[in-house]
């Protein structure tokens, strides 16, 4: 039995290492370009660690059992009549409960942090209409643009509006997403922390042109942003 | 095909309601598909006239309104005409009108030739097979659609179809898979197995059972026929969100109404299962002696009867908005857009468990009998089903974390969502513990069951990511969701359906499938399934939204690999079909109990006698007492082999 346990653990470790390699060798998440996404990525890794452990555990027992206790199809004996084990059953109720509650708490904390609007947030209005995004900057006048430009390290508060059907505003590198819904206003916060060019993607099926409903987002320095605003107003 | 002994002469009815024998008259006016066809046509005309007359009477201009005529004539009256024509209502109508009914309505029982599968038949075993064959036909159609749009997606840009067709293919694919395959295929397996497992001669309401089956082809044909509608098939996704769905071309109505027929079928079957399980258990079959498949269908049926009316309502409201200009979901008329999503998900989250719990039941049967061990923690296994049932009604808004609903709802719904992982985990760990020190027979159903356990763990874990609101905000509506739902629905539900079909195949047909082909089927499916769906996690997180025909060229290579893998996955299904068809026709004759299982269906002949048990079994113990010396599940006379009867 001792030898069996060692073998089982070995299989579990091999599986765990393999899955860990899959998790770290590929870059699963886009580079974060916002404070919000930085926090989300932390929870992502927390969930990933839980997943690796659970998957390796289940995988190891399945592989080990099949390898150890497989019998030819014409074998006609029965296994030992084990009906259960209260200790084990309590353990695998309690441990997952603790894990998911921990995940829930961490998630709730991040959610609330990502929802903390500062009073000097830049106001941006995102208007979804089949099949294009338009942006307004009410603090700076009433022009509309097809390109989203944001100053770096400055929190932006988006207010979403939809003209016809539901659309969804997503910049993968910001990690934030919110539907634009006809009849109601929705909001989301983004604090860009990296300059560069990114894609604005519509993620809610909105009709024939849904796949092409995209826009460009640029995160620039405050000076560049001011210059851009002046240009728009001119 | 199979023939079973029958002691009742099917032709001995009072003459006055039997049409004259052997004539064209009988073909035209006797219950059957021919009468179904012309009565459907008559129904359509009646419905059309009703609409025209009423509209003309109220001087509405124009009197002709295609969508209304289609709904009333094509989607209500014609199907009712069809059902009346095939004879679904004959007994009830005779009864209502005071004409003599067939004294003992065992007439429809049993199948004596393949033709009996194309008639209204009240034998739960026949109905089970009707369900399975029909659902696999729709599985094939839905699968071919997937092959088609995967070909389109192999490269960025549009190659084969236009965007309306693309949206139609994606929407009809998902709709068929959910409403015409997974849900009813489980109903088919349960139809066959549950009454036998309970020691009952049939379901509680055999005629209702037959009716529920015949509603399915109506729904399926409606969904597929939407491709013929001007403007193309419904293209708002299987979720059919308003207001997009309200502005869609005519095809959307086919979805709104098809869901009604499929939903009605589910509800009737669920009621039937509930009454059967509650009232028709053999003596001694207490709840705590019921096999887990029965438990699973008990909880599923509760989910169905409580939740399904909500999707029916949501689709009616959308249709009313479309054709009656109500404003349930249009803000201009004071409607509330998010109301649709709340109602829809109040059904559709429980629906994901409707699509999973029966599979849990199947896998419990297979793993226990193939490991030759009692299922680990039987009571907790049953209780965790009930836990999922209750929790399942309190999590629907996790599909709406980015929908703009009330903020305060997010955290509570996140907590309940994450808590569902606990009963789910209990089940997974208990299956794995059942393997421990067992004597494992790696047959095809067992391979699929083990494939299910491992794949479902992946799907459940991606569910944990999505349950966490901040991660969901990043991942929602991307290919990550597509990956999640295929790990739970394909690696999960579909694998368990395959396991169930292989497991009960000898019982249903009296013949054995080919084990070697079964293994090929499993391994081809398992590998290509992972190659198809695992990379979708990646492209989704990296920025590819779902339901798009075009995407950033950076995702081109990955999508190409996915498409190739999906073709292999499609091809692997051919192995299954070949195996099933050839084994059904000329496979080796199967024993009554090839798996040496303990549950009751294995204690009668293969296929079972027409009324299942010649003598009512007396249940004396649990269903999984493998390895317990002298333990028995039930006492009964030895199985009487069914005799081939050639009339
Ligand atoms: C531990 C268990 C599970 C958890 C925590 C979980 C969680 C979630 C969440 C949060 C979503 C919403 C994602 C989004 O749209 O942003 C989702 C979507 C979905 N889940 Fe699960 N899930 C679990 C198991 C299952 C199972 C067992 C099934 C079905 C058999 C299932 C089927 C689906 C489907 C079909 C969708 C997508 C619906 C759509 O938008 O088209 N899930 N899941
Ligand atoms: Cu869109
Ligand atoms: Cu859900």
């Amino acid at each position: 039995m001792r030898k069996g346990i060692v073998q089982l653990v070995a299989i579990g470790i091999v599986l765990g290492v393999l899955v860990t390699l899959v998790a770290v060798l590929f870059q699963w998440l886009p580079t974060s370009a916002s404070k919000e996404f930085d926090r989300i990525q932390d929870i992502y890794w927390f969930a990933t660690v839980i997943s690796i452990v659970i998957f390796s555990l289940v995988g190891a027992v399945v592989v080990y059992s099949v390898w150890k206790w497989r019998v030819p199809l014409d074998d006609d004996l029965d296994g030992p009549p084990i009906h259960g084990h209260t200790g084990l059953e309590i353990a695998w109720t309690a441990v997952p409960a603790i894990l998911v509650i921990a995940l829930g708490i961490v998630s709730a904390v991040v959610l609330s942090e990502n929802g903390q609007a500062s009073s000097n947030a830049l106001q941006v209005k995102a208007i979804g209409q089949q099949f294009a995004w338009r942006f307004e900057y009410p603090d700076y006048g009433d022009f509309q643009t097809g390109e989203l430009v944001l100053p770096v390290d400055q929190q932006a508060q988006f207010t979403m509006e939809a003209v016809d059907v539901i659309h969804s505003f997503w910049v993968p590198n910001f990690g934030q997403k919110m539907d634009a819904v006809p009849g109601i206003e929705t909001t989301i916060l983004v604090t860009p922390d990296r300059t560069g060019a990114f894609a604005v993607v519509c993620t809610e099926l909105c009709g024939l042109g849904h796949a092409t409903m995209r826009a460009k987002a640029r995160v620039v320095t405050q000076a560049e942003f001011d210059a851009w605003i002046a240009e728009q107003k001119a | 095909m199979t023939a079973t002994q029958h002691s009742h002469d099917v032709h001995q009815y009072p003459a006055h309601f039997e049409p004259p024998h052997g004539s064209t008259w009988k073909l035209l006016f006797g219950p059957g598909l021919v009468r179904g066809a012309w009565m459907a046509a008559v129904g359509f005309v009646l419905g059309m006239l009703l609409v025209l007359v009423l509209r003309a009477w109220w001087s509405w201009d124009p009197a002709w309104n295609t969508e209304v005529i289609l709904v009333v004539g094509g989607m209500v009256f014609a199907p009712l005409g069809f059902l009346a024509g095939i004879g679904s209502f004959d007994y009830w109508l005779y009864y209502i009108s005071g004409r003599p009914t067939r004294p003992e309505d065992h007439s429809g029982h049993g199948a004596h030739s393949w033709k009996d599968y194309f008639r209204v038949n009240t034998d739960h075993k026949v109905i089970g097979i009707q369900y399975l064959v029909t659902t696999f036909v729709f599985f094939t159609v839905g699968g071919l659609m997937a092959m088609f749009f995967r070909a389109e997606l192999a490269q960025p840009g549009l190659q084969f179809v236009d965007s309306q067709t693309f949206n139609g293919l994606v929407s009809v694919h998902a709709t068929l898979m959910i409403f015409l395959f997974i849900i009813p295929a489980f109903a088919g397996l349960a139809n066959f197995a549950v009454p036998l497992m309970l020691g009952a001669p049939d379901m509680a309401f055999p005629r209702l059972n037959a009716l529920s089956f015949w509603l399915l082809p109506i729904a399926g044909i409606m969904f597929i026929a939407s491709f013929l509608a001007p403007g193309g098939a419904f293209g708002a996704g299987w979720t059919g969100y308003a207001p997009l769905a309200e502005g869609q071309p005519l095809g959307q109505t086919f979805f709104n109404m098809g869901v009604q027929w499929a939903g009605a079928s589910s509800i009737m079957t669920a009621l039937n299962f509930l009454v059967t399980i509650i009232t028709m258990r053999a003596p001694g079959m207490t709840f705590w002696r019921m096999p887990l498949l029965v438990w699973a269908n008990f909880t599923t049926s509760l989910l169905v009867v409580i939740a399904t009316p909500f999707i029916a309502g949501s689709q009616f409201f959308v249709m009313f908005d479309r054709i009656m200009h109500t404003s349930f979901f249009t803000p201009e008329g004071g409607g509330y857009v998010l109301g649709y999503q709340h109602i829809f998900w109040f059904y559709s989250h429980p629906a994901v468990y409707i699509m999973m719990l029966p599979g849990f039941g199947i896998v419990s049967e297979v793993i226990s009998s193939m490991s030759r061990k009692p299922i680990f923690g039987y009571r907790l296994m049953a209780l965790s089903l009930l836990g999922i049932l209750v929790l399942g009604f309190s999590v629907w808004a996790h599909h709406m974390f980015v929908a703009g609903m009330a903020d305060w709802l997010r955290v509570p719904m996140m907590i309940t969502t994450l808590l569902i992982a606990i009963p789910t985990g209990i089940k997974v760990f208990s299956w794995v513990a059942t393997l421990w020190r067992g004597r494992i027979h790696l047959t095809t159903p067992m391979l699929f069951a083990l494939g299910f356990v491992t794949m479902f763990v992946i799907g459940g874990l991606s569910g944990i990511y999505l349950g966490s609101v901040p991660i969901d905000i990043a991942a929602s509506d991307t290919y990550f969701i597509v990956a999640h739902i295929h790990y739970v629905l394909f690696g999960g539900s579909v694998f368990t359906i395959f396991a169930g079909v292989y497991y009960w195949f000898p019982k249903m047909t009296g013949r054995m499938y080919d084990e070697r082909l079964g293994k090929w089927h499993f391994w081809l499916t398992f590998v290509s399934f992972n190659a198809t769906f695992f990379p979708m996690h990646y492209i989704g997180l990296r920025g590819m939204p779902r339901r798009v025909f075009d995407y950033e060229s950076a995702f081109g290579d990955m999508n190409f690999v996915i498409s190739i893998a999906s073709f292999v996955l499609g091809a692997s299904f051919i192995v299954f079909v070949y195996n099933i068809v050839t084994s059904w026709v000329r496979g080796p004759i199967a024993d009554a109990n090839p798996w040496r299982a303990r549950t009751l269906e294995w204690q009668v002949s293969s296929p079972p006698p027409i009324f299942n048990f010649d003598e009512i079994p007396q249940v004396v113990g649990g269903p999984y007492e493998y390895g317990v010396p002298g333990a028995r599940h039930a006492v009964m006379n030895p199985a009487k082999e069914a005799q081939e009867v050639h009339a």
Side-chain angles (χ1 to χ4, degrees), chain B residues 205-476:
Chain B
F205 305 118
R207 282 181 292 272
L208 187 69
N209 200 17
L211 180 61
S212 0
F213 163 72
W214 284 98
L215 299 185
L216 274 187
I218 295 173
I221 290 168
M222 231 172 251
F223 293 141
I224 296 172
S226 72
F227 278 101
L228 304 175
F234 54 91
W238 81 276
T239 48
Y241 276 14
L244 178 65
E246 307 196 334
Q248 283 277 301
L250 199 56
Q252 190 65 35
T253 313
F254 289 72
F255 176 74
N256 300 149
M257 290 306 291
V259 166
Q260 309 300 342
W261 292 98
S265 163
S266 286
I267 295 175
M268 289 180 195
T269 313
L271 285 171
N272 218 340
F273 279 133
L274 287 177
V275 177
T276 308
I277 293 169
I278 294 170
T279 66
M280 294 186 54
R281 285 166 286 125
M285 179 70 85
T286 59
F287 264 62
W288 290 121
R289 285 177 183 164
M290 293 193 315
L292 286 170
L293 183 85
V294 178
W295 268 105
N297 280 285
F298 182 70
T299 36
T300 306
S301 300
L302 283 170
L303 282 168
V304 170
V305 293
I306 301 170
T308 310
F310 287 84
I311 192 176
S314 71
Q315 299 313 314
F316 271 138
F317 296 159
V318 168
M319 192 191 68
F320 293 164
D321 277 7
R322 287 171 62 89
I323 66 176
M324 285 159 56
H325 310 289
T326 54
S327 293
F328 285 98
F329 308 125
T330 45
E332 306 87 69
Y336 181 45
V337 171
L338 289 185
Y340 176 85
Q341 296 177 33
H342 279 297
I343 307 175
F344 179 84
W345 289 114
F346 193 77
Y347 162 75
S348 289
H349 180 81
V352 309
Y353 292 104
I354 293 171
M355 293 186 265
M356 197 63 263
L357 299 191
F360 287 176
I362 294 171
V363 165
S364 300
E365 301 302 326
V366 172
I367 290 189
S368 169
S369 77
M370 298 294 173
S371 309
R372 315 303 308 158
K373 274 185 63 199
I375 198 84
F376 196 93
Y378 167 83
R379 286 197 179 208
L380 204 53
M381 284 296 250
L383 290 174
S384 57
L385 288 168
L386 295 177
I388 292 175
L389 164 79
V390 173
L391 277 175
F393 278 105
S394 61
V395 302
W396 77 90
H398 67 208
H399 297 272
M400 301 170 62
F401 285 152
V402 299
M405 62 167 184
D407 267 345
W408 74 269
L409 264 175
R410 291 172 157 190
V411 171
M413 289 277 175
M414 164 169 78
I415 302 295
T416 48
T417 299
L418 292 173
L419 288 182
I420 290 205
I422 300 169
T424 314
I426 291 176
K427 303 207 72 86
V428 170
F429 297 131
S430 303
W431 289 316
V432 170
T434 307
L435 298 174
W436 193 257
R437 291 180 58 203
R439 301 188 67 81
I440 296 173
H441 296 246
L442 219 49
T443 55
T444 309
M446 184 61 163
L447 280 172
F448 272 102
L450 296 178
F452 156 79
V453 172
T454 44
M455 295 302 97
F456 183 71
V457 167
I458 300 181
L461 290 171
S462 63
I464 302 278
Y465 284 79
L466 295 172
S468 155
V469 182
I471 304 182
D472 180 74
I473 290 176
S476 186

Side-chain angles (χ1 to χ4, degrees), chain A residues 27-30 48 61 69 71 75-76 78-80 83 103 107 166 170 177-179 203-204 208 210 214, chain B residues 164 341 372 377 402 432 437-441 465 468 473-474 476-477 538 541-542 547 552 596 625 627:
Chain A
Q27 205 208 338
W28 291 85
L29 296 172
T48 302
V61 182
W69 294 306
V71 295
D75 176 278
D76 61 1
D78 282 350
H83 284 89
L103 181 66
S107 303
I166 304 174
W170 184 38
K177 181 185 291 124
M178 181 50 75
D179 284 5
T203 56
E204 184 64 57
L208 298 183
H210 166 55
R214 305 170 72 93
Chain B
Q164 176 67 38
Q341 296 177 33
R372 315 303 308 158
V402 299
V432 170
R437 291 180 58 203
R439 301 188 67 81
I440 296 173
H441 296 246
Y465 284 79
S468 155
I473 290 176
S476 186
D477 281 322
Y538 176 82
L541 290 173
R542 298 287 303 186
R547 296 171 169 162
E552 274 175 79
R596 294 179 302 119
E625 299 298 293

Side-chain angles (χ1 to χ4, degrees), chain A residues 12-13 24 42 56 58 73 83 91-92 107 125 127 159 162 180 195 221 230:
Chain A
I13 290 174
V24 296
D42 294 341
S56 313
V58 174
L73 294 189
H83 284 89
W92 65 48
S107 303
K125 204 175 206 180
I127 304 165
T159 307
T195 56
T221 60

